[in-house]
Amino acid sequence: MHPAAAGMADGVHLLGFSDEILLHILSHVPSTDLILNVRRTCRKLAALCLDKSLIHTVLLQKDYQASEDKVRQLVKEIGREIQQLSMAGCYWLPGSTVEHVARCRSLVKVNLSGCHLTSLRLSKMLSALQHLRSLAIDVSPGFDASQLSSECKATLSRVRELKQTLFTPSYGVVPCCTSLEKLLLYFEILDRTREGAILSGQLMVGQSNVPHYQNLRVFYARLAPGYINQEVVRLYLAVLSDRTPQNLHAFLISVPGSFAESGATKNLLDSMARNVALDALQLPKSWLNGSSLLQHMKFNNPFYFSFSRCTLSGGHLIQQVINGGKDLRSLASLNLSGCVHCLSPDSLLRKAEDDIDSSILETLVASCCNLRHLNLSAAHHHSSEGLGRHLCQLLARLRHLRSLSLPVCSVADSAPRADRAPAQPAMHAVPRGFGKKVRVGVQSCPSPFSGQAGPQPSSVFWSLLKNLPFLEHLELIGSNFSSAMPRNEPAIRNSLPPCSRAQSVGDSEVAAIGQLAFLRHLTLAQLPSVLTGSGLVSIGLQCQQLRSLSLANLGMMGKVVYMPALSDMLKHCKRLRDLRLEQPYFSANAQFFQALSQCPSLQRLCLVSRSGTLQPDAVLAFMARCLHVVMCHLFTGESLATCKSLQQSLLRRSSCHTRSSPSH
């Protein structure tokens, strides 16, 4: 903050505000800037910047301006006051800088995920943090628990919460944490080493120390693809199967693909069914499919359920989970992604194109009235014609929703009838400057610039969003959509065509999203009836809190029809940080990067385009203008030579660290 900022602003003296208001303003300033710059402007701000509410918690994650010198100086000036510190993802900081955390002797909680730390440095640092109760670290190849000092192990014995990301088969520091109440495990182990050697979880067998779970309340494990991750997590679970913690309240395992149930895991689940009452549950689909486990599980004020991709019928959902309509007001999050039969009474007889049983959804909504997060994606949820029985009309009763994920076909107004012509997607007038004529026979709606509502108020999707004004996270994804570069699933080259019901969802429905003034994260995928993308402009104009945007396969697959509208939208996205585009034949040209340059907060860009093109000079100019961009992934149809040349040019321009990884 410049000293002049403490002066006059529109005739109002900044320092004339109360301390409470000033503290709230200062809470949005990055910690390094707050202590090293703002604090030096005047005496009043110097005192306020040292207020406990501002310096007890320091967040450095994703603060890409936090250099080595700044972090060291920050720790030197307020290190003794810091009680919670997050350096998650600060990959650019060397271990010698991260080691300065040892000076923060009052630390109760520290997150070092993504930081470079050897076993010896970790030992030295933790030895000084006697008050530590919550820790997050990575366990990388070369980690050696025998190098941990007795003082370090004493600190770990008092840790109650541990988040551990594994990049090598190991128990990590878990055996030292004898007081664990909350254990979060992330398995990111590759099946082979860089030299090509095959890894095995058997490397852990025979270790003298094993995890201590007697006080455990929360167990969470998320696995990346690969057999080695499954092999290692079984070793962690084997200890649980011997003696299930009596205070266990949450048991969650997230596994991509199939994960066969073993004798040990079966014993564990049987023991859980007999001895504990859970508040949160997530299991691999193969453990639930065809099992009567849910029928025997006991739940006590549950707040989280995930049955992703399970063959769970609506009848089982009502009887075994909701217990025939039992009051589940405590439930805050429900994931039914990929549960294609969850809204029909019988999973054996239902076909994908069949309508849902609205009475099942009605029971679900009535019982779980306080839901904040709901995921119904990756399935065909078609509503039949009937007053007040549409899926969108029923979901509109969930006024507490903050996150919603739906298949595109579920928001279509009704099934097309044989005596009615196929519905044409409504189309906004394209903003001036892109000169596209209105097609004859296509319904036109007022431009988003006219100040009038673009979407038709009679649309069930429009009404749904009107009743959920505080929605922050929205996903509208085609039932048959599969990403060309998925995170946790195998890539599928021959994707299925869009659902026929999705043909009636187009620009008008996209424009309806503009009602969500608090929207922060938006995903739109496989909307074949987007004609111009004009609804995107409405979103850019009205959703000023938008931080993350992901667009995939909009409109006809043969060409990119929404490029002018996207360019116009980006002009208004002043807070956008993450942009992901997945579209075949996309042309990343000067016009696109010029529009993208008008997003001053942009930090990450990912473009996935089969047979797409890019202009290297436009990329270089964009990166030169947008200094906050730290990740630029371009997966297009360009040659390997072009990509390597562009990468070298970017590396030569980068003075701090690599900010781009173009791929062919």
Side-chain angles (χ1 to χ4, degrees), residues 46-269:
L48 288 176
C49 287
L50 294 179
D51 188 86
K52 292 181 178 180
S53 65
L54 298 178
I55 63 175
H56 274 190
T57 299
V58 173
L59 306 177
L60 298 179
Q61 80 268 20
K62 297 184 180 179
D63 182 1
Y64 300 107
Q65 306 305 314
S67 63
E68 295 179 44
D69 292 338
K70 286 183 178 181
V71 172
R72 294 187 182 197
Q73 188 64 26
L74 176 72
V75 171
K76 181 180 178 180
E77 296 199 20
I78 64 168
R80 292 183 179 274
E81 305 297 327
I82 302 175
Q83 295 184 0
Q84 298 187 38
L85 172 65
S86 177
M87 299 177 68
C90 293
Y91 57 87
W92 60 90
L93 296 177
S96 57
T97 299
V98 179
E99 192 176 19
H100 279 64
V101 171
R103 297 184 179 183
C104 307
R105 296 183 180 272
S106 299
L107 270 181
V108 176
K109 181 176 184 178
V110 62
N111 189 336
L112 301 174
S113 298
C115 295
H116 302 288
L117 282 175
T118 62
S119 305
L120 289 175
R121 276 209 166 102
L122 179 66
S123 177
K124 181 180 178 181
M125 184 175 61
L126 294 183
S127 297
L129 305 179
Q130 299 181 9
H131 301 287
L132 195 66
R133 297 296 181 269
S134 178
L135 173 65
I137 59 169
D138 291 350
V139 177
S140 302
F143 176 84
D144 186 357
S146 66
Q147 295 180 342
L148 302 180
S149 67
S150 57
E151 293 83 0
C152 171
K153 292 180 179 178
T155 296
L156 289 171
S157 68
R158 294 185 287 269
V159 168
R160 296 175 182 172
E161 297 182 4
L162 175 65
K163 175 187 174 184
Q164 188 169 262
T165 304
L166 295 163
F167 294 97
T168 187
S170 172
Y171 285 122
V173 300
V174 174
C176 303
C177 302
T178 55
S179 302
L180 270 185
E181 296 180 3
K182 184 177 183 180
L183 178 58
L184 310 178
L185 298 170
Y186 295 79
F187 296 85
E188 299 285 347
I189 311 168
L190 299 177
D191 291 343
R192 294 176 180 267
T193 64
R194 290 186 176 181
E195 294 75 25
I198 300 176
L199 286 176
S200 171
Q202 296 302 313
L203 296 173
M204 299 166 57
V205 176
Q207 292 186 11
S208 57
N209 292 324
V210 294
H212 298 270
Y213 294 144
Q214 60 267 26
N215 299 316
L216 205 62
R217 296 175 59 86
V218 176
F219 181 90
Y220 174 81
R222 191 190 72 184
L223 283 66
Y227 79 92
I228 183 66
N229 291 308
Q230 297 187 11
E231 189 176 350
V232 173
V233 77
R234 289 187 191 279
L235 296 176
Y236 278 83
L237 293 174
V239 182
L240 269 179
S241 64
D242 290 338
R243 183 179 179 183
T244 306
Q246 294 182 351
N247 294 324
L248 190 66
H249 285 272
F251 187 78
L252 308 105
I253 300 182
S254 175
V255 182
S258 60
F259 184 29
E261 188 178 20
S262 65
T265 56
K266 188 177 186 304
N267 292 337
L268 169 61
L269 296 176

Side-chain angles (χ1 to χ4, degrees), residues 372-383:
R372 296 177 63 86
H373 311 281
L374 178 61
N375 190 338
L376 293 173
S377 63
H380 297 269
H381 295 316
H382 300 164
S383 298

